[in-house]
Amino acid sequence: MDFGLVLQTDPPARLLVDRMKRAEAAGFSHGWTFDSVVLWQEPFVIHSRILAETERLTVGPMVTNPCTRSWEVTASVFATLNDMYGNRTVCGIGRGDSAMRVAGRRPATLARLGEAIHAIKELAEGREAEIDGTVMRMPWVRDGALPVWMGAYGPKALELVGRQADGFILQLADPYLTEWMVKSVRAAAERAGRDPDAITVCVAAPAYVTDGSEEELAHAREQCRWFGGMVGNHVADLVARYGEHSDQVPEALTAYIGARHGYDYSHHGRVGNPDTDFVPDAVVDRFCLLGPVSAHLEKLAQLRELGVDQFAVYAMHDAVERVIDAYGAEIVPRLG
């Protein structure tokens, strides 16, 4: 199993770069950042610095979207970074949540997202692609390689992952839901005539290492409760589309948002987010990895058995270095 570190691009950027270097030294293989340029700093500028100051780390957004940049610009950014640093990028992409909604726009349709995935990958790898009726190619790209991993929850999005993406990003660490969604992606890949095992599966969620006490567990829950609210934005979209009780979406995913009342993106991804009071402890425990090292090892082993290739640690809490070091010392050597 590979391990990634996910950070927001809060200033100072120097601190983020140093934490990514620390993660590489601890054995992490991937460094990820948010991509929501109103709420945080522009990620790709910072990606260039991370790549310059690391040797092996693969870097990418978790996740970008098809709307805030034109597709040829996105492809050119990745291709340029790869040319400079040697094919060490990955394109995480989705419909767009905070990046779109904070600017008063709606997330992209899945049809538009599928077109973008194709165009960005083709251009970044040096092939022709058609964008809005114009065929183009970047003649300077040589030996480019860009895996494109898509974030998804709902049945139609999971179908698109299986049909087209190189990887699947699932932003929660609940084993039951992971099994259901990985099976859905693999079934879609088989229907599309693809090798289902060739799709990389990345689970991303907060991880907080405690001393095993109830006091530290309670603190860890409060540090990570924001995540249930973030996931809840996507779940609310699914409920609006499929209803509260649908055989197409597991109730284990949708039931907890019944008490949700709006969401202010100015607190997005932040500890103490006041719009996440509706998230119960049980959901925090299911969606995140909390507790002593032994609890992390147990849950990660479960996820690995379900076909998860990478666990990416969301480190938006008060113990970023602590979790990097704990994973580097006690978890990466055992599961990596």
Side-chain angles (χ1 to χ4, degrees), residues 208-213 216-217 289-298 322 326-327 330-331:
Y208 200 106
V209 179
T210 74
D211 62 5
S213 68
E216 281 214 359
L217 178 59
L289 273 76
L290 312 177
V293 166
S294 59
H296 291 247
L297 288 169
E298 180 180 357
R322 178 178 172 181
Y327 266 64
E330 303 192 63
I331 293 175

Side-chain angles (χ1 to χ4, degrees), residues 20-42:
M20 290 297 183
K21 292 169 65 177
R22 190 180 191 125
E24 182 182 60
F28 286 64
S29 63
H30 285 67
W32 302 91
T33 70
F34 280 30
D35 179 13
S36 189
V37 296
V38 173
L39 297 176
W40 299 286
Q41 291 182 326
E42 164 59 40

Side-chain angles (χ1 to χ4, degrees), residues 161-334:
V161 173
R163 191 170 67 245
Q164 190 171 344
D166 299 309
F168 169 39
I169 296 173
L170 173 59
Q171 293 172 328
L172 53 80
D174 178 273
Y176 171 79
L177 292 172
T178 298
E179 182 176 21
W180 186 87
M181 293 186 187
V182 169
K183 284 181 176 178
S184 297
V185 167
R186 287 179 171 163
E190 288 182 351
R191 287 192 293 271
R194 303 178 69 201
D195 177 3
D197 293 326
I199 298 174
T200 303
V201 177
C202 174
V203 161
Y208 200 106
V209 179
T210 74
D211 62 5
S213 68
E214 286 300 316
E215 292 78 10
E216 281 214 359
L217 178 59
H219 178 74
R221 285 173 176 150
E222 293 311 313
Q223 289 290 305
C224 299
R225 198 175 303 277
W226 62 266
F227 183 67
M230 187 181 82
V231 174
N233 296 329
H234 303 285
V235 175
D237 286 346
L238 295 178
V239 170
R241 177 180 292 271
Y242 297 102
E244 293 184 14
H245 306 286
S246 169
D247 58 2
Q248 297 188 69
V249 183
E251 195 167 341
L253 177 62
T254 60
Y256 84 99
I257 69 160
R260 179 181 181 270
H261 299 289
Y263 191 85
D264 181 350
Y265 278 90
S266 66
H267 306 292
H268 189 61
R270 302 290 189 191
V271 175
N273 185 334
D275 297 322
T276 60
D277 291 343
F278 71 93
V279 182
D281 287 352
V283 166
V284 180
D285 293 348
R286 283 171 45 213
F287 285 12
C288 306
L289 273 76
L290 312 177
V293 166
S294 59
H296 291 247
L297 288 169
E298 180 180 357
K299 195 167 189 178
L300 288 167
Q302 280 184 278
L303 293 171
R304 185 172 63 176
E305 286 298 312
L306 295 173
V308 174
D309 301 295
Q310 180 181 149
F311 177 63
V313 176
Y314 273 114
M316 295 84 183
H317 48 54
D318 63 0
V320 178
E321 284 83 9
R322 178 178 172 181
V323 76
I324 293 171
D325 294 347
Y327 266 64
E330 303 192 63
I331 293 175
V332 174
R334 300 188 197 184

